[in-house]
Amino acid sequence: MPHPSADASASVAHPEAVTTTLRVNGQACTLTLDPRASLLDTLRETLHLTGTKKGCDHGQCGACTVHMDGRRVNACLVLAVCAGGRDITTIEGLGTEASPHPLQTAFVEHDGYQCGYCTAGQIMSAAALLDEPCGDHDDDVRELMSGNICRCGAYSNIVAAIQHVRGNR
């Protein structure tokens, strides 16, 4: 699993720069950031964790879904400084190549992706769904996944992968 990598050159020379520590995928990263930087941009551009995708940058597509203290959030809507001291998990921290998360395996087995752009956000949202109250039916899963858009239309395969992991298939 790639670890966040930040160095002194990643710090921002901004007059109101703020120093904060993010705990990303189990690793503490102390950063000096522009207080306006989103968690998404910080993950991608400062920590070089590019699995989290920038889709709409308005919280409407779910491509940037990460976990913050175990709950799914759209990283584009969270200021990085507001995530200080919180546990952040990205797709890079969910599983490894040698030991993938069951959802990562199920997405491959059920072809729960097409172009793949939304896949990380879909998987992160689905992983959070596993710990949320959700009925057994496909419509229940669709409702809880409604914040994640797939422009390719792989929804039935995504639901099948989630239901497989949940034991409802």
Side-chain angles (χ1 to χ4, degrees):
M1 156 177 69
H3 290 286
S5 59
D7 55 31
S9 65
S11 294
V12 174
H14 187 273
E16 290 113 27
V18 177
T19 300
T20 191
T21 300
L22 302 177
R23 289 193 312 261
V24 181
N25 300 331
Q27 183 178 351
C29 305
T30 301
L31 305 167
T32 303
L33 302 169
D34 180 329
R36 302 166 295 178
S38 70
L39 178 58
L40 172 61
D41 289 338
T42 301
L43 291 170
R44 290 184 57 78
E45 297 171 19
T46 305
L47 298 178
H48 310 291
L49 294 170
T50 57
T52 304
K53 301 300 183 209
K54 183 181 275 200
C56 66
D57 214 19
H58 290 91
Q60 298 174 346
C61 73
C64 66
T65 303
V66 298
H67 296 172
M68 186 162 59
D69 292 337
R71 297 184 56 133
R72 54 182 148 168
V73 299
N74 291 330
C76 69
L77 297 179
V78 176
L79 293 174
V81 295
C82 292
R86 314 281 293 274
D87 286 316
I88 308 299
T89 305
T90 68
I91 191 72
E92 292 91 348
L94 196 62
T96 65
E97 190 173 336
S99 180
H101 187 280
L103 279 165
Q104 292 170 316
T105 301
F107 265 66
V108 171
E109 290 173 356
H110 291 273
D111 197 22
Y113 56 89
Q114 286 187 16
C115 79
Y117 199 81
C118 73
T119 304
Q122 296 277 0
I123 290 173
M124 292 305 292
S125 192
L129 177 149
L130 297 177
D131 295 325
E132 297 170 359
C134 180
D136 293 337
H137 300 286
D138 289 357
D139 285 343
D140 300 320
V141 171
R142 282 186 196 94
E143 177 66 27
L144 290 179
M145 292 295 293
S146 65
N148 292 80
I149 295 172
C150 173
R151 295 190 311 179
C152 299
Y155 294 113
S156 60
N157 299 354
I158 291 167
V159 170
I162 296 166
Q163 290 289 56
H164 176 86
V165 172
R166 294 180 73 220
N168 292 327
R169 286 272 160 95

